[in-house]
Amino acid sequence: MDSDDIETIAVLGAGNMGHGIAEVAAMAGYDVNLRDINEEFVQNGYDQIEWSLGKLAENDQLTEEEADAALDRITPVVEMSEAVSDVDVVVEVVPEKMDIKKDVFDEVEAHAPDRAIIASNTSSLSITDLSEATERPEQFCGMHFFNPPVRMQLVEVISGAHSADETLDAIEGLAESFGKTPVRVRKDTPGFIVNRILVPLMNEACWVVSEEDATMAEVDSTVKYDIGLPMGAFELGDQVGNDVTYHVLEYMHEVLGDAYAPAPLLEETVEEERFGKKTGQGFYDYENGDGAQVPTDETREDVKHRLLAIMANEVGNLVGQDVAPPRDIDQAVMLGAGYPDGPAKMADDAGLDTLVETLEDLHEEKGAERYAVSDGLREAAEEGGFYGGDDEESVEFSTVSLEYPGDMVGQIVLDREARMNTISTDMLDEIGEAVDVLEEDDDVRAILITGKGDRAFSAGADVSAFASSAQPLTGIELSRKGQQTFGKLEESPMPVVAGIDGFALGGGLELAACADLRIASDRSELGLPEHNLGLIPGWGGTQRLQRIVGFGRAKEIVFTAERYDAETMYDYGFVNEVVPFGEFEEKAHELAANLAGGPPVSQKLTKRAMLRGWEDSDAGLELEAQSFGHLLGTDDLMTGITAFMGDHDPEFEGK
């Protein structure tokens, strides 16, 4: 079955995950049968969907009509025969007990049509074992959403030992039609990708405290303010539910061995039913205390290396066992856990040799199996990193990607989709490097810069990443760094087009302002919210914006800190063209390709004269005159005149 053939979906289980998945599917236009074991459960799930859709409409994320239409596509049912008898896909979302799931699949097999694909939302159980409880293991795979499904972007698509490629392709296509980002888990392994990274990390944090090597405050301070993760390890455990972490870890321990033995502190916490926020007590006290108050100044270098080493070892396991490549692992963890950078990238930055040495020292000191260096990590260390060592022939990027869509266009894609393509110091560095690569490529004549995903061009600076950096820049250094990078883009000899789809806020708008032309989808929102934060646009926004829209409009945009739709920014002169969302990619490429076909020498000299003239009009006029004289002797001029006289398009060679 192809994803285009899917029309009707059954979601089995109307709890938090189940009703969330049903809502996502209905908003994507699918007919959904939402099933649970009794009327009360299924009606409660349906009511939650109705409430959620109402909130989305209230917040202008959907129209009232779209919300009503989505709700109309959902049918609450109790009888399994009614739920699955004529559906294309069955998504199972029942409790994480193998016996319960197998009983459900027995019922599904009695009623579902032969064409139906079965997908389990399990977060830990073996997809292979589950598939063997059905009569169609080749039409079975994992489809693991993250909570809450309406907001979380990631879907892990997990291959069992029997899953057919056609099944995996169809479920990946289905996830994409939901507006999600699927990441393929190539082999069935406990924890899949995200939990395989997170759970051992949280367990190691517990071991550190159990063995009295550091305090809980020191661990969480290090995780949050030195490593730079969104939450401390214990803070995250309380958020997820310590019983949930323990359950996943137990399964890992059972299947993978003693390297995943739960730490005494975690066992003790679960035995005392201190499950976290949901019970009011966890590692932190949410009833009688202040909750997770993580100190900013108790970081420790040894704790940092120990935790990063555990994380790197799990990346090594996943890569070495061909579960997923480093880039997919990083994307999954950034989307599923909100990490500012992926674990493979963080490990490379810390130095794999250092992390291998850390594990070897811990293994010698403690003798614990969890410190045995994985083959994948050792091999990556020998090769210079998970992303490889320095290669004079190529440049590896982690926060941007380079694409070559044809027609002499080089495309820089801001590639931090999980963080709405917010701009970190690494991204600033890589934008500059990407510009260098494209300028050195004789086959590239224009640059198109866009954002990955369908939510944002760039939602601005990643303030949290700057604040939690191990070596944070001062405010002046950070401003200068951004100004320098954006200046390089502005001064590129090639035409630069910013393709804006979604949010272009703060530093994202300042980046777009460096382009020569800006094209936006009709659903985009643009603005400079810095004044709402008590800041000032610091990457050239106070200067470039007034050149583009004029002094008065620039002040309005900065001082009001409002968000403006694309049509308004077109009226203001910031956006050169607004196009329907469905045509955005085609039109953005078309604009860049048209510029790429222009006269390279003329374009370079025109940009140089205009920039010089803004600073000093006399100097600009002088450069204009010199450039005009220079161009009179170029081959491109003769090419242009010949084409004009012959009534055909010129093919400029930049000579």
Side-chain angles (χ1 to χ4, degrees):
M1 179 184 292
D2 189 88
S3 61
D4 292 338
D5 299 324
I6 299 171
E7 296 179 354
T8 305
I9 298 169
V11 178
L12 308 183
N16 286 338
M17 288 298 292
H19 72 65
I21 294 168
E23 181 179 358
V24 168
M27 286 194 294
Y30 294 93
D31 292 324
V32 181
N33 295 332
L34 177 64
R35 189 259 178 183
D36 216 312
I37 58 174
N38 61 46
E39 290 282 356
E40 180 186 352
F41 290 172
V42 77
Q43 187 60 45
N44 182 62
Y46 184 83
D47 291 344
Q48 289 295 317
I49 294 171
E50 185 174 17
W51 175 86
S52 175
L53 289 169
K55 279 292 182 185
L56 292 172
E58 186 181 312
N59 294 328
D60 295 326
Q61 293 174 268
L62 290 176
T63 65
E64 292 282 357
E65 293 76 15
E66 289 170 335
D68 291 342
L71 193 64
D72 287 344
R73 285 190 281 268
I74 300 172
T75 304
V77 297
V78 173
E79 295 300 323
M80 183 68 82
S81 58
E82 186 180 354
V84 306
S85 61
D86 191 26
V87 300
D88 302 307
V89 172
V90 176
V91 181
E92 169 272 307
V93 202
V94 303
E96 285 286 271
K97 300 289 184 183
M98 184 68 79
D99 291 343
I100 294 175
K101 291 182 184 290
K102 286 184 175 181
D103 288 344
V104 167
F105 295 140
D106 284 343
E107 257 195 289
V108 170
E109 284 292 3
H111 301 288
D114 292 342
R115 70 178 186 276
I117 293 172
I118 303 175
S120 175
N121 183 59
T122 181
S123 60
S124 60
L125 298 178
S126 168
I127 296 300
T128 301
D129 290 350
L130 290 172
S131 74
E132 291 172 353
T134 75
E135 297 171 11
R136 61 188 86 194
E138 72 287 348
Q139 290 170 234
F140 192 104
C141 69
M143 189 181 193
H144 181 215
F145 290 79
F146 287 73
N147 197 24
V150 173
R151 289 213 319 266
M152 296 298 285
Q153 192 71 14
L154 176 66
V155 175
E156 291 177 321
V157 177
I158 306 105
S159 175
H162 312 295
S163 302
D165 287 341
E166 293 83 357
T167 297
L168 296 166
D169 291 343
I171 294 301
E172 282 188 351
L174 181 63
E176 288 175 347
S177 75
F178 288 174
K180 304 301 182 185
T181 302
V183 172
R184 178 80 64 95
V185 183
R186 300 176 181 178
K187 285 188 178 178
D188 185 11
T189 188
F192 311 137
I193 295 176
V194 176
N195 282 334
R196 185 65 176 267
I197 299 295
L198 291 186
V199 172
L201 179 68
M202 291 190 285
N203 191 42
E204 185 61 24
C206 291
W207 275 110
V208 171
V209 176
S210 294
E211 295 173 341
E212 299 183 351
D213 293 330
T215 66
M216 192 169 75
E218 289 171 331
V219 170
D220 267 7
S221 181
T222 300
V223 171
K224 193 167 185 175
Y225 297 109
D226 195 347
I227 297 176
L229 303 189
M231 292 184 178
F234 295 103
E235 185 182 7
L236 177 62
D238 281 352
Q239 181 77 27
V240 170
N242 297 313
D243 54 328
V244 175
T245 303
Y246 184 72
H247 172 73
V248 175
L249 195 61
E250 271 191 315
Y251 183 70
M252 289 183 178
H253 187 199
E254 177 187 338
V255 176
L256 300 173
D258 288 342
Y260 301 91
L265 175 61
L266 180 58
E267 289 184 315
E268 178 185 308
T269 302
V270 173
E271 284 171 8
E272 294 173 359
E273 297 186 354
R274 292 187 285 120
F275 298 151
K277 275 190 170 182
K278 61 187 176 185
T279 60
Q281 298 282 336
F283 295 116
Y284 293 97
D285 186 347
Y286 301 90
E287 284 183 339
N288 306 310
D290 296 326
Q293 298 294 314
V294 180
T296 62
D297 57 353
E298 296 190 31
T299 62
R300 282 180 41 175
E301 193 74 6
D302 59 334
V303 173
K304 176 183 178 180
H305 283 151
R306 182 167 169 178
L307 295 177
L308 284 175
I310 289 293
M311 196 157 56
N313 217 23
E314 292 304 330
V315 175
N317 280 322
L318 292 173
V319 173
Q321 295 162 17
D322 197 30
V323 175
R327 194 170 294 279
D328 285 1
I329 295 168
D330 280 357
Q331 182 182 37
V333 176
M334 290 166 69
L335 288 171
Y339 279 25
D341 285 310
K345 170 67 164 53
M346 286 192 285
D348 279 0
D349 288 348
L352 296 196
D353 288 339
T354 298
L355 300 183
V356 167
E357 184 179 347
T358 297
L359 289 170
E360 289 174 338
D361 290 346
L362 286 165
H363 193 264
E364 182 176 347
E365 176 190 348
K366 299 178 182 292
E369 187 64 25
R370 65 185 181 277
Y371 301 124
V373 180
S374 66
D375 292 341
L377 174 57
R378 198 175 291 282
E379 184 177 331
E382 291 170 357
E383 292 176 355
F386 285 113
Y387 286 99
D390 294 332
D391 184 346
E392 292 181 2
E393 298 299 320
S394 65
V395 180
E396 287 286 346
F397 297 106
S398 61
T399 64
V400 305
S401 59
L402 280 185
E403 298 180 3
Y404 298 88
D407 299 318
M408 299 184 289
V409 174
Q411 186 169 353
I412 301 173
V413 182
L414 308 179
D415 193 358
R416 299 183 79 218
E417 184 180 3
R419 307 284 289 186
M420 295 184 73
N421 301 320
T422 48
I423 300 168
S424 62
T425 50
D426 285 344
M427 183 182 280
L428 288 174
D429 289 336
E430 292 190 359
I431 289 172
E433 291 169 6
V435 172
D436 288 339
V437 169
L438 294 179
E439 287 180 357
E440 291 169 6
D441 190 332
D442 292 338
D443 294 325
V444 173
R445 297 265 194 91
I447 296 173
L448 172 62
I449 183 163
T450 59
K452 186 172 183 181
D454 60 1
R455 294 187 297 165
F457 170 74
S458 170
D462 190 345
V463 178
S464 63
F466 295 144
S468 62
S469 173
Q471 295 181 314
L473 301 175
T474 67
I476 293 176
E477 290 171 337
L478 181 57
S479 180
R480 292 294 189 201
K481 187 178 185 70
Q483 289 172 354
Q484 182 179 14
T485 298
F486 289 6
K488 174 182 281 190
L489 188 67
E490 181 181 53
E491 293 167 8
S492 171
M494 292 186 285
V496 178
V497 174
I500 302 167
D501 177 39
F503 295 114
L505 304 175
L509 185 142
E510 291 180 282
L511 175 58
C514 299
D516 300 301
L517 296 176
R518 286 158 289 279
I519 183 171
S521 70
D522 54 7
R523 66 178 193 158
S524 298
E525 294 185 33
L526 303 88
L528 291 172
E530 282 83 355
H531 274 203
N532 284 338
L533 305 173
L535 289 171
I536 183 175
W539 289 339
T542 62
Q543 305 304 304
R544 292 190 184 94
L545 187 61
Q546 61 176 304
R547 299 183 206 172
I548 300 168
V549 302
F551 200 55
R553 288 297 189 198
K555 281 188 174 181
E556 175 194 336
I557 293 167
V558 174
F559 280 97
T560 64
E562 296 283 352
R563 292 183 186 178
Y564 297 84
D565 60 40
E567 288 289 351
T568 300
M569 292 299 271
Y570 172 79
D571 292 339
Y572 285 5
F574 185 80
V575 172
N576 300 93
E577 184 178 359
V578 179
V579 298
F581 165 62
E583 301 175 14
F584 169 72
E585 289 189 17
E586 177 188 350
K587 294 293 187 182
H589 174 76
E590 184 180 298
L591 177 58
N594 286 341
L595 294 175
V601 182
S602 297
Q603 290 171 336
K604 176 178 71 174
L605 295 178
T606 298
K607 288 185 67 170
R608 189 179 296 170
M610 292 178 79
L611 286 171
R612 182 71 61 84
W614 177 259
E615 301 160 0
D616 182 337
S617 60
D618 288 340
L621 289 169
E622 178 60 29
L623 185 55
E624 179 186 278
Q626 292 175 4
S627 299
F628 187 85
H630 172 76
L631 290 166
L632 287 175
T634 62
D635 291 347
D636 275 356
L637 176 63
M638 295 307 300
T639 298
I641 292 172
T642 302
F644 178 76
M645 298 297 291
D647 195 25
H648 61 81
D649 292 332
E651 295 183 6
F652 296 109
E653 296 183 9
K655 298 179 180 177

